[in-house]
Amino acid sequence: MATATNPAQDLVDEEFPSIYRPLVPAALKRAYASADQAFEKLEFLSTPSGKFQRGDLVVLAAEFEFYKLIREGQLPFDPCWEDYASPTGKHLVMKSPSAQITLNQVDYPHQKPRRAIFRDQFAVPNTRYLFAEWNREHDDNQDKKHILLLHGHGDLRFANLSVPHPSQNRLIWWTENLLKVPHTINAGSTANVGEGPTESPDAELVEEIIKTIRDSR
């Protein structure tokens, strides 16, 4: 009897192969640590209202970490910056041959992000564009599936790759907790696999976060 296949799992395995997944926990741990360091450096975030902005710093740090991995050739994706549903900013989209992968903070491992609803199928205008190259990009994006890289909101408690349902507020399939995947830690560290940052926060990343925040004020 033929073994049953799961198309959602096959999609994730094809577009984000397991060989690259050990990069995920290390990148996220660096991002959370860098966000905390930037938070400590920015005095105006010490107010009661400022303390609620930590999640935004994590978003910036996580996107920058994965952008660096792509830029350095460690992840085989094409990075681009898509607009949010409202014109309030942009978010990183990592494009593989058949998928668009986004980073998303959620409270629970198997939760579909609220803000990802508008990105279920990366809807774009139905009208044709004036320039042919824009239409080619439109058609290419329409064919790509959406993969979510979910990670723990607040504290980094979990991370997984998942496929969202195109119309319902749920996930179709998700991987195991990627924080449990063996990954490199600093020599001499006593931290267990899956615990703590794998290295000191990147000074370049911290400064980039601080600059982004200051430029947006």
Side-chain angles (χ1 to χ4, degrees):
M1 180 180 296
T3 303
T5 61
N6 183 329
Q9 180 177 355
D10 292 343
L11 172 70
V12 174
D13 288 342
E14 180 70 24
E15 303 305 313
F16 204 123
S18 58
I19 189 173
Y20 298 110
R21 296 179 195 175
L23 296 172
V24 172
L28 288 175
K29 289 171 187 177
R30 291 194 301 269
Y32 276 67
S34 295
D36 286 338
Q37 189 178 76
F39 197 93
E40 292 172 0
K41 286 188 175 183
L42 294 168
E43 187 177 359
F44 67 84
L45 290 178
S46 63
T47 64
S49 59
K51 293 178 180 178
F52 284 95
Q53 307 307 312
R54 179 176 178 272
D56 294 330
L57 299 188
V58 170
V59 169
L60 294 173
E63 290 188 337
F64 190 78
E65 284 289 349
F66 281 88
Y67 176 71
K68 283 202 306 180
L69 289 175
I70 295 171
R71 185 179 64 189
E72 295 166 1
Q74 297 187 58
L75 283 176
F77 305 130
D78 292 324
C80 68
W81 300 90
E82 300 274 354
D83 292 323
Y84 282 114
S86 300
T88 56
K90 294 180 179 291
H91 63 99
L92 176 65
V93 180
M94 303 182 290
K95 294 190 176 185
S96 66
S98 299
Q100 301 189 86
I101 305 164
T102 60
L103 304 169
N104 305 266
Q105 286 182 306
V106 291
D107 292 320
Y108 307 103
H110 309 148
Q111 175 184 0
K112 182 178 179 180
R114 292 192 303 273
R115 293 179 183 176
I117 293 175
F118 76 89
R119 285 183 261 132
D120 284 334
Q121 296 178 334
F122 279 84
V124 292
N126 291 324
T127 56
R128 305 300 287 174
Y129 291 108
L130 178 62
F131 300 105
E133 58 269 24
W134 292 6
N135 288 318
R136 286 194 294 270
E137 182 179 357
H138 167 284
D139 295 338
D140 180 60
N141 287 340
Q142 286 289 80
D143 292 336
K144 290 182 182 291
K145 305 300 182 182
H146 190 189
I147 295 175
L148 306 173
L149 200 170
L150 304 177
H151 56 94
H153 189 273
D155 295 328
L156 182 58
R157 303 185 307 275
F158 60 85
N160 64 60
L161 292 162
S162 62
V163 178
H165 192 283
S167 59
Q168 299 178 19
N169 188 29
R170 64 182 181 88
L171 303 177
I172 297 175
W173 181 85
W174 53 85
T175 65
E176 64 175 349
N177 186 353
L178 298 180
L179 297 185
K180 297 180 180 180
V181 174
H183 54 278
T184 303
I185 59 177
N186 277 351
S189 171
T190 58
N192 293 326
V193 171
E195 295 181 2
T198 60
E199 57 187 54
S200 299
D202 189 331
E204 177 189 1
L205 173 54
V206 174
E207 291 304 317
E208 182 70 19
I209 294 172
I210 293 175
K211 181 179 182 298
T212 300
I213 294 173
R214 287 174 176 165
D215 290 347
S216 65
R217 294 178 66 189

